[in-house]
Amino acid sequence: MIKFIAVALTVILFLVLSIPLLVWEAYLGKKNPEKKDWQSLHIVQHVFRFILTMVGVHITVKGQENVPGDRAVLYVGNHRSYFDILVGYTTVPTLLGFVAKKEMKRYPLLYNWMENVHCLFLDRDNLKEAMKTIIKGIEQIKAGVSVWIFPEGTRNSDGDIMDMLPFKEGSLKIAEKSGCPVVPVAITGTAEIFEKHIPFMKKANVTIEFGTPFIVKELEPEKRKFAGAYTREEIGKLLQKEKAIRGQNM
């Protein structure tokens, strides 16, 4: 419970005390947008790393050589915890924005920082607004900023790391329309930090593995037609390997 309170206080203090930073970032964005993008990302990364260290999270990164270094990509991952986002932002070496639910706009300051690090806000109940988000994501990719999406649509609370909810096929539209690579991402161990014993936070060993990237348009016709299901299978293979390793170490 102490760690939960410490994390909550850290987030609240950062959001309140960073108001002058937000003002500065807004000014900088008018003069030098690229510098503002990187500066905002580094600030958020420092806060996330501090939180992960405070909780006692050890992260093992695998397959980082699979991430293209010369272009933006669509990261597609399984979703087990709020901490998936912290792990993602602290392990991806490029500019990045997560696709978040539109309800996050309700939280001032948090919303401002999410905008600063290129988060996209998806309205799942409004097709027209959802299409606007996809178009914005395509523009973001073309501008060199990667996008990360969780196609399950929500956090999966099942206990087995192999289990994933069905992937929403429309979730890969950004990659289909932009032609960018899709990087499957498998994350294990984040649910052990918080979700498995709310409200307590505990130390955990987290593994994030980046799979082999692919271009949707280059897939075989059947796989291209169900690109979401294909990506889910690829992530499942990565999770299977990690489950075997964790089983051996138990």
Side-chain angles (χ1 to χ4, degrees), residues 44-158:
V44 169
Q45 285 177 329
H46 282 310
V47 174
F48 284 174
R49 289 192 180 105
F50 177 76
I51 291 173
L52 291 168
T53 300
M54 179 168 54
V55 176
V57 179
H58 177 265
I59 302 174
T60 298
V61 182
K62 299 180 180 181
Q64 202 158 41
E65 68 279 2
N66 290 325
V67 179
D70 58 345
R71 61 189 302 190
V73 305
L74 179 69
Y75 295 98
V76 181
N78 61 315
H79 195 21
R80 302 303 296 269
S81 169
Y82 291 116
F83 279 87
D84 294 336
I85 297 167
L86 280 70
V87 172
Y89 266 120
T90 55
T91 55
V92 171
T94 58
L95 291 174
L96 167 71
F98 276 76
V99 176
K101 56 188 179 181
K102 68 176 179 63
E103 286 78 11
M104 297 304 296
K105 289 184 175 183
R106 299 173 182 170
Y107 307 105
L109 301 181
L110 176 60
Y111 165 67
N112 296 108
W113 276 109
M114 290 177 74
E115 274 209 317
N116 275 8
V117 291
H118 295 284
C119 286
L120 301 170
F121 300 92
L122 181 65
D123 186 344
R124 299 177 212 154
D125 300 321
N126 188 319
L127 183 59
K128 185 177 180 181
E129 291 302 314
M131 284 304 301
K132 288 181 181 179
T133 302
I134 291 172
I135 292 170
K136 188 174 181 180
I138 294 168
E139 293 171 349
Q140 190 164 296
I141 289 282
K142 291 181 177 179
V145 181
S146 294
V147 175
W148 188 309
I149 192 165
F150 297 117
E152 291 169 279
T154 187
R155 287 175 294 116
N156 179 11
S157 59
D158 195 280

Side-chain angles (χ1 to χ4, degrees), residues 18-28:
S18 68
I19 292 175
L21 272 176
L22 283 171
V23 175
W24 166 249
E25 292 294 290
Y27 171 78
L28 182 62

Side-chain angles (χ1 to χ4, degrees), residues 196-217:
K196 285 193 173 181
H197 32 69
I198 294 173
F200 301 100
M201 289 185 177
K202 297 184 179 181
K203 294 180 179 180
N205 293 315
V206 172
T207 300
I208 179 169
E209 183 167 2
F210 299 96
T212 303
F214 64 88
I215 306 292
V216 174
K217 292 180 180 178

Side-chain angles (χ1 to χ4, degrees), residues 159-174:
D160 193 316
I161 66 172
M162 281 298 301
D163 288 332
M164 290 179 281
L165 300 173
F167 278 21
K168 300 181 185 301
E169 287 298 330
S171 58
L172 268 69
K173 286 293 183 184
I174 291 174

